[in-house]
């Protein structure tokens, strides 16, 4: 029997496999594991299954691929608990105990295996004016569009790096936005080499061409980036450069972001090895910690197709009759090559390290300037002196950017992994036998 995590009241769920995250990778992993007869519970922060990539409004349109996988997950018998953030995990006697904040209530999940499908978040590099209303993340704009927000008639620039810029620019153009510029910081030669290498993945070429066709009248400018945003009470214009000349563009909305940062905090808390800011896994998606597997963007940014395949592999590995087809392994290998080429093509240029000035706000939660932290030797010292990264977002917005700017090594990870209510952090089961909800269909009904 594991010791309770502390406190007074919580609900306990017992399962064979706990999947953290309900994006494409988590969906595929949970589906395959549950189809093999295992008791599977999926914990996800979102209100709908699909993660950020398949984000949709309740009852709203869902991509065809997402429809198929979400339907399979529903039929598999796996239980999905929405609105749930994992706060802590303890490991004892070949069993994991997860503490989560489920819509403000304490939830504990006890499982023999964990599959981490924690995804990724946007990388923001601060510059003067990036805190103005009207400046938002590229992924944030995508989420707003999928939630029904309108950009009709707004003058919009999309600036940053990575393939995500294409679908977001296409969606903005479709929504009636006046798309002024799509500025990719990567060099043209690197982007062209990447595009040329996609002959092995013709579906990606067709998809990219369709996105570009939706905003053909707008310039897609490589080797170009935004250096500052200007405005009194909200965004009015931005300064743009290509390294040779600098100019201003009048704009209402700036969507900016420099790729994705894998969410590896939970893996690090569990003791999993990481390398180059991703979770280290073997050919079967196993981490260096026994009975912990990892899939999707947390193991390296690779996109939806790769995430699905990794999820299928992990879900098959934990099943009683583990069998992975050679075709699946070959597909993963091909997509991994494309993912590595993508990362090389969109590598961040050194000029971006000079974007912030001494007065640039780098931590929005605690109102900390770049000048206050730029001489710190590590993140821990900066936190002690300035409280940078100690606000409500717990450094999820500011610290990856500062790691890039100042080459800081990641700080230690301690619970709570996510912000949570004190009542959740202090919870425990008064009587395991009485309070335990053994895994059955009523669990899904209670928490869906």
């Amino acid at each position: 029997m594991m010791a309770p995590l502390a406190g007074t009241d919580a609900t306990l769920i017992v399962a064979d496999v706990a999947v953290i995250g309900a994006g494409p990778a988590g969906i595929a992993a949970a589906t395959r594991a549950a189809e093999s007869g295992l008791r599977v519970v999926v914990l996800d922060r979102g209100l709908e299954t699909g993660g950020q990539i398949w984000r949709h409004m309740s009852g709203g349109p869902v991509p065809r691929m997402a429809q198929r996988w979400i339907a399979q997950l529903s039929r598999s018998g796996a239980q999905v608990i929405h609105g749930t953030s994992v706060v802590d995990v303890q490991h004892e006697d070949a069993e994991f105990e997860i503490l989560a904040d489920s819509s403000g209530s304490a939830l504990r999940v006890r499982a023999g295996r964990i599959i981490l499908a924690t995804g990724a978040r946007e990388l923001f590099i601060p510059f003067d004016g990036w805190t103005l209303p009207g400046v938002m993340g590229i992924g944030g704009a995508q989420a707003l569009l999928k939630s029904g927000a309108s950009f009709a008639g707004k003058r919009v620039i999309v600036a940053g790096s990575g393939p995500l810029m294409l679908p977001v620019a296409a969606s903005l153009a479709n929504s009636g936005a006046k798309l002024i510029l799509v500025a990719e910081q990567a060099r043209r030669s690197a982007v062209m080499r990447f595009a040329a290498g996609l002959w092995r993945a013709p579906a990606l070429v067709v998809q990219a061409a369709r996105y570009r066709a939706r905003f053909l009248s707008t310039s897609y400018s490589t080797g170009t980036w935004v250096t500052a945003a200007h405005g009194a009470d909200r965004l009015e214009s931005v300064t743009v450069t290509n390294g040779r000349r600098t100019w201003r563009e009048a704009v209402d909305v700036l969507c900016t972001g420099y790729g994705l940062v894998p969410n590896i905090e939970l893996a690090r808390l569990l003791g999993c090895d990481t390398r180059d800011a991703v979770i280290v896994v073997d050919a079967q998606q196993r981490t260096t910690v026994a009975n912990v597997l990892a899939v999707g963007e947390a193991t390296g940014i690779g996109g939806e197709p790769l995430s699905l395949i990794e999820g299928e592999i992990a879900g098959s590995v934990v099943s009683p009759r583990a069998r992975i087809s050679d075709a699946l392994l070959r597909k993963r290998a091909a997509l991994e090559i494309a993912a590595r080429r993508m990362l090389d093509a969109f590598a961040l240029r050194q000029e971006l390290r000079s974007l912030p000035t001494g007065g640039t706000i780098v931590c929005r939660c605690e109102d900390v300037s770049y000048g206050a932290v730029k001489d710190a030797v590590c993140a821990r010292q900066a936190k002690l002196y300035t409280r940078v990264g100690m606000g409500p977002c717990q450094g999820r917005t500011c610290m990856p950017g500062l790691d890039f700017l100042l080459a800081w090594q990641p700080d230690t990870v301690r619970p709570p992994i996510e912000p949570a209510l004190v009542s959740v952090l202090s919870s425990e089961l008064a009587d395991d036998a009485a309070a335990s909800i053994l895994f059955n269909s009523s669990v899904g009904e209670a928490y869906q």
Side-chain angles (χ1 to χ4, degrees):
M1 181 68 66
M2 294 179 61
L5 290 172
T8 53
D9 293 307
T11 299
L12 174 66
I13 296 174
V14 178
D16 297 311
V17 181
V19 179
I20 314 299
I27 291 172
T31 299
R32 293 293 179 253
E35 287 175 342
S36 72
L38 295 174
R39 300 171 299 172
V40 179
V41 61
V42 183
L43 307 179
D44 188 66
R45 288 186 298 177
L47 300 180
E48 298 289 338
T49 303
Q52 291 301 320
I53 191 67
W54 287 342
R55 187 186 181 107
H56 60 282
M57 293 182 292
S58 179
V62 185
R64 185 175 301 176
M65 180 68 75
Q67 289 178 14
R68 182 169 72 84
W69 273 104
I70 291 173
Q72 285 188 21
L73 176 64
S74 180
R75 293 192 299 267
S76 72
Q79 303 297 326
V80 182
I81 304 177
H82 295 295
T84 300
S85 299
V86 173
V87 174
D88 190 14
V89 181
Q90 293 187 11
H91 186 200
E92 186 178 323
D93 298 332
E95 202 168 45
F96 297 93
E97 188 160 317
I98 300 166
L99 173 65
D101 184 332
S102 186
S103 301
S105 297
L107 171 67
R108 293 199 308 169
V109 175
R110 188 171 292 166
R113 281 152 290 183
I114 290 179
I115 300 178
L116 302 174
T118 47
R121 59 188 184 272
E122 284 192 270
L123 170 61
F124 299 108
I125 300 176
F127 51 84
D128 284 344
W130 77 298
T131 58
L132 282 170
V135 181
M136 65 185 66
I138 294 172
Q142 184 183 52
L144 286 172
L145 285 164
K146 291 181 178 180
S147 299
S150 174
F151 289 81
K154 300 290 187 182
R155 298 168 298 176
V156 181
I157 286 180
V158 179
S161 195
L164 181 61
M165 294 173 64
L166 285 177
V168 173
S171 297
L172 286 165
N174 278 354
S175 73
K178 296 178 180 178
L179 200 59
I180 295 171
L181 173 68
V182 178
E184 166 59 62
Q185 63 85 37
R187 290 171 174 80
R188 178 178 176 81
S189 58
V191 175
M192 294 305 292
R193 281 197 305 273
F194 171 67
L198 288 178
W199 62 268
R200 297 177 181 84
L204 295 179
V205 177
V206 171
Q207 186 182 61
R210 286 176 178 168
Y211 289 144
R212 183 67 179 100
R214 296 178 191 173
F215 60 97
L216 273 177
S217 60
T218 301
S219 171
Y220 176 82
S221 181
T222 54
T224 304
W225 62 99
V226 167
T227 61
H230 314 280
D233 299 320
R234 62 167 296 108
L235 180 65
E236 297 171 4
S237 66
V238 297
T239 299
V240 184
T241 186
N242 58 13
R244 299 180 302 277
R245 69 184 185 95
T246 299
W247 69 97
R248 272 208 190 191
E249 295 278 5
V251 66
D252 302 306
V253 177
L254 169 64
C255 305
T256 185
Y258 289 89
L260 299 173
V261 179
N263 293 320
I264 61 174
E265 290 82 7
L266 186 55
R268 292 182 60 214
L269 180 67
L270 283 163
C272 304
D273 284 355
T274 62
R275 185 185 304 121
D276 298 328
V278 302
I279 305 171
V280 174
V281 294
D282 64 13
Q284 295 187 321
Q285 303 299 138
R286 300 181 187 275
T287 71
T288 54
V289 174
N291 295 319
V292 178
L293 295 84
V295 294
E297 308 287 48
T299 66
I301 307 303
E304 170 193 315
L306 180 56
S307 293
L308 285 169
I309 289 175
E310 289 179 350
E312 286 195 79
I313 291 172
S316 300
V317 165
V318 299
S319 68
R321 298 173 297 279
R323 183 180 179 278
I324 307 169
S325 72
D326 291 338
L328 206 59
L329 295 175
R330 286 194 298 270
K331 287 181 181 178
R332 183 182 62 182
L335 289 168
E336 285 175 338
I337 291 172
R340 287 193 293 270
R341 287 176 173 164
M342 178 190 70
L343 293 177
D344 289 342
F346 296 101
L348 300 184
R349 57 173 60 238
Q350 290 300 310
E351 292 95 325
L352 298 176
R353 297 184 191 276
S354 62
L355 283 182
T357 63
T360 302
I361 296 296
V362 291
C363 177
R364 303 172 71 153
C365 297
E366 296 294 329
D367 201 31
V368 178
S369 70
Y370 185 59
V373 300
K374 66 182 181 64
D375 294 325
V377 297
C378 63
R380 176 63 59 84
Q381 184 187 65
K383 286 181 179 181
L384 290 173
Y385 288 3
T386 69
R387 288 190 53 83
V388 63
M390 297 179 70
C393 86
Q394 289 294 285
R396 279 170 169 73
T397 300
C398 62
M399 295 310 290
L402 287 171
D403 289 343
F404 167 74
L405 292 169
L406 299 171
W408 285 344
Q409 295 301 308
D411 201 2
T412 54
V413 176
R414 293 174 293 179
I417 293 297
E418 298 274 359
L421 297 176
V422 172
S423 59
V424 171
L425 298 176
S426 63
S427 66
E428 73 175 342
L429 291 177
D431 184 345
D432 282 359
S436 174
I437 299 180
L438 293 179
F439 196 92
N440 54 48
S441 60
S442 65
V443 175
E445 295 168 359
Y447 286 94
Q448 287 284 355

